[in-house]
Amino acid sequence: MLSGWMESKFIGRSSRHFCRFLSVSSSKAVVDVAAKDGELRMFIVSGEVSGDAIASRLMASLKKLSPFPIRFLGVGGSLMASEGLKSIFPMEDIAVMGIWELLPHLNKIRLKLKEAAEAALLFEPHVVVTIDSKGFSFRLLRQLRARYGGRGLHSPVHFHYVAPSFWAWKGGETRLKNLREFVDHLLCILPFEEEVCRSHGLAATYVGHPILEDALYLNMGKNNPLIDLRVHGDCVSFQRKYGIPSGARVITLLPGSRLQEVSRMFPIFSSTMEILKDSFPELTTVIPVALNQHVENYIQKAMQRWPVSAVLIHGGSPQLKYDAFSASTAALTTSGTAVLELQLARLPCVVAYRAHFLTEWFIHCKAKIQYISLPNILLNSAVIPEAVFQDCTPKNLAALLLEIIHNKDLREEQIITADNVLGLLCPSDSNTSKFRLQESRSGFPNYTPSMIAAYTILYSVKQL
């Protein structure tokens, strides 16, 4: 049921204050458009592991809030499937990143785009939601909008969750105007994105960063409060479970979630451990493996030539991953969401990144920021050591890890600044105040990033 605030905020106002709701020929919110069918049909797409996690929590929140049953069709992984998604093909089929790396997969991507678009048209969704993976997502949304227009039909509302990193590229902000052709509303995860998007005529809502929900979910039922943006792992039980000697030096390795990046980074990480094994006689590596069957198969095969002792943690147990972090002295990670997971655990790390040399050249020419990891970008400071492109060599990575391990001041600086970084990623008071309805019986707040995103999808309308 809607709260009184929701009724007055989104429904009770006179219709003259609102324009036609996005591309639907009324001023009603998505739930009102769905009311005549007695169900809400959502076509939802994610193309990578991190997006699968974001989308699954969004789906769970939508089911809590929607006054009608929801049917989900689209593309996603195992987490989305557990929330009721019927995926038309495996998410891994479109998990390709980069510019030149995409070229060998273009024909396959075209076929998958056509397949997804045709499935969406047959499904007749009330709303389409794409999660990150802007290369595939934006092409799909553009194609859907064109097909509906070509048939003289009203298009479903298009939401895109995780704004493209327009702030990272030269001329990126000016390209936001082009998104208005096929994106009706952006759900932003960084604090400065909403205002910039709105200033360029694109409806947007800052919902907070999804990584915060790791802390909220994993801290439930523990003594630490829900607002504690830190995840405490169980070091002792982890060491006991995997037979890790108490005196061993443990380093966590996070090579990525896509086969493309893992196959590029894993040999570099292996050579780095080969260098470090002489410095730490009892060196043990812990490798959390993404929920991606192609990645799992690759790593299992690559472990046959791994130079040091290793523990593989297969995806699906976030708490076990944070237990591993607590047992580690430092981490080596590919740039991405994993950096923020390490911030939640307060585990000092080194960030690495390599790509196709033409992609690296393009980034070098077009990027307007000097850092690649989000904490450094937000703080505009190299708090976390980065080794990218040609500097991403085993020798450099080994040297940076040794410095982090042996320099207490550098470790402490990363731990302290993690509080600042995570604080910046929290939803603003102005946004959370709209969604503080009542606490759930479990004690979990209703104003998490996924709940705010779900409210926005269900009830917002586009104003004149």
Side-chain angles (χ1 to χ4, degrees):
M1 296 295 292
L2 294 179
S3 70
W5 181 88
M6 281 296 173
E7 290 175 352
S8 62
K9 179 70 173 177
F10 291 127
I11 301 174
R13 288 185 180 181
S14 170
S15 61
R16 65 185 176 84
H17 290 292
F18 298 102
C19 71
R20 187 168 52 93
F21 178 50
L22 305 179
S23 298
V24 180
S25 59
S26 76
S27 62
K28 295 179 180 179
V30 168
V31 288
D32 297 315
V33 176
K36 60 184 178 182
D37 294 330
E39 68 172 3
L40 175 59
R41 294 186 299 276
M42 176 174 290
F43 195 83
I44 184 168
V45 175
S46 172
E48 54 192 75
V49 172
S50 60
D52 186 40
I54 294 171
S56 67
R57 287 176 176 167
L58 173 64
M59 291 165 69
S61 297
L62 286 163
K63 289 189 291 185
K64 290 178 183 178
L65 297 177
S66 175
F68 310 109
I70 306 179
R71 281 203 289 146
F72 297 104
L73 182 71
V75 181
S78 59
L79 296 177
M80 294 169 70
S82 69
E83 293 295 339
L85 174 74
K86 182 179 179 181
S87 189
I88 56 179
F89 52 76
M91 179 181 68
E92 290 82 2
D93 287 357
I94 57 173
V96 181
M97 64 178 293
I99 300 168
W100 303 104
E101 293 89 340
L102 179 65
L103 292 178
H105 305 276
L106 278 178
N107 188 55
K108 180 181 180 180
I109 295 297
R110 287 194 191 100
L111 292 174
K112 294 302 177 184
L113 274 170
K114 181 180 179 182
E115 187 177 350
E118 290 177 350
L121 288 166
L122 289 172
F123 187 56
E124 296 183 345
H126 301 103
V127 60
V128 177
V129 180
T130 51
I131 316 290
D132 211 355
S133 303
K134 63 182 177 66
F136 186 88
S137 294
F138 289 169
R139 286 176 175 85
L140 174 63
L141 295 178
R142 186 185 290 111
Q143 193 171 128
L144 284 176
R145 187 57 50 86
R147 290 199 182 197
Y148 273 97
R151 299 183 183 187
L153 301 173
H154 292 301
S155 172
V157 187
H158 289 178
F159 282 85
H160 183 70
Y161 195 169
V162 182
S165 52
F166 57 85
W167 37 266
W169 305 97
K170 297 173 183 176
E173 290 187 14
T174 59
R175 288 194 288 273
L176 285 175
K177 294 179 180 179
N178 298 330
L179 297 186
R180 290 182 296 180
E181 298 175 9
F182 52 88
V183 175
D184 297 312
H185 203 114
L186 274 178
L187 300 170
C188 305
I189 66 172
L190 297 181
F192 50 83
E193 292 175 331
E194 177 182 331
E195 183 178 352
V196 177
C197 289
R198 288 178 178 272
S199 70
H200 287 82
L202 186 62
T205 301
Y206 172 52
V207 301
H209 200 288
I211 196 66
L212 302 177
E213 295 189 48
D214 276 5
L216 294 172
Y217 277 96
L218 293 174
N219 285 338
M220 274 196 304
K222 298 181 180 179
N223 292 328
N224 43 329
L226 291 174
I227 59 172
D228 181 14
L229 297 179
R230 179 169 183 163
V231 178
H232 300 268
D234 190 335
C235 169
V236 175
S237 67
F238 182 83
Q239 290 176 321
R240 186 185 303 120
K241 179 176 182 177
Y242 292 99
I244 299 174
S246 59
R249 180 71 68 180
V250 181
I251 298 177
T252 289
L253 303 178
L254 295 149
S257 60
R258 307 174 185 89
L259 177 61
Q260 177 188 12
E261 62 186 355
V262 172
S263 61
R264 190 179 299 274
M265 299 305 301
F266 209 70
I268 298 174
F269 285 10
S270 176
S271 298
T272 303
M273 295 305 107
E274 181 73 42
I275 294 171
L276 287 179
K277 70 178 183 180
D278 293 333
S279 300
F280 305 109
E282 289 189 282
L283 178 60
T284 296
T285 52
V286 177
I287 307 171
V289 182
L291 278 170
N292 181 320
Q293 191 59 54
H294 300 316
V295 168
E296 289 185 22
N297 294 340
Y298 175 89
I299 290 180
Q300 288 282 4
K301 185 176 181 180
M303 293 309 296
Q304 298 174 9
R305 300 179 300 278
W306 195 249
V308 298
S309 175
V311 173
L312 296 184
I313 301 174
H314 293 278
S317 177
Q319 184 60 63
L320 187 59
K321 178 166 58 177
Y322 283 96
D323 291 345
F325 292 165
S326 72
S328 303
T329 305
L332 175 60
T333 179
T334 300
S335 179
T337 305
V339 182
L340 293 178
E341 293 177 338
L342 297 169
Q343 294 265 291
L344 282 176
R346 304 305 192 268
L347 179 61
C349 68
V350 173
V351 173
Y353 183 76
R354 285 304 308 261
H356 189 282
F357 77 94
L358 290 175
T359 297
E360 292 182 0
W361 172 82
F362 179 86
I363 294 172
H364 179 76
C365 294
K366 296 296 184 179
K368 66 177 184 181
I369 55 176
Q370 57 180 320
Y371 305 114
I372 198 168
S373 59
L374 187 56
N376 288 352
I377 292 170
L378 290 173
L379 299 175
N380 195 29
S381 175
V383 175
I384 298 176
E386 297 181 352
V388 301
F389 304 159
Q390 297 302 315
D391 292 331
C392 183
T393 65
K395 182 178 179 180
N396 287 343
L397 292 175
L400 290 172
L401 281 168
L402 284 171
E403 189 174 16
I404 285 291
I405 291 169
H406 293 307
N407 191 321
K408 183 179 179 180
D409 290 339
L410 291 178
R411 293 170 52 79
E412 192 64 26
E413 183 181 17
Q414 283 201 38
I415 292 170
I416 292 172
T417 55
D419 292 333
N420 297 331
V421 170
L422 295 168
L424 290 172
L425 298 177
C426 290
S428 64
D429 288 341
S430 61
N431 277 350
T432 59
S433 63
K434 302 175 184 178
F435 306 101
R436 295 175 186 266
L437 304 183
Q438 58 182 6
E439 302 295 316
S440 64
R441 290 182 180 180
S442 66
F444 194 72
N446 280 327
Y447 45 92
T448 62
S450 63
M451 289 293 275
I452 296 174
Y455 274 125
T456 305
I457 290 169
L458 292 173
Y459 300 117
S460 66
V461 295
K462 186 177 180 182
Q463 293 179 290
L464 285 169

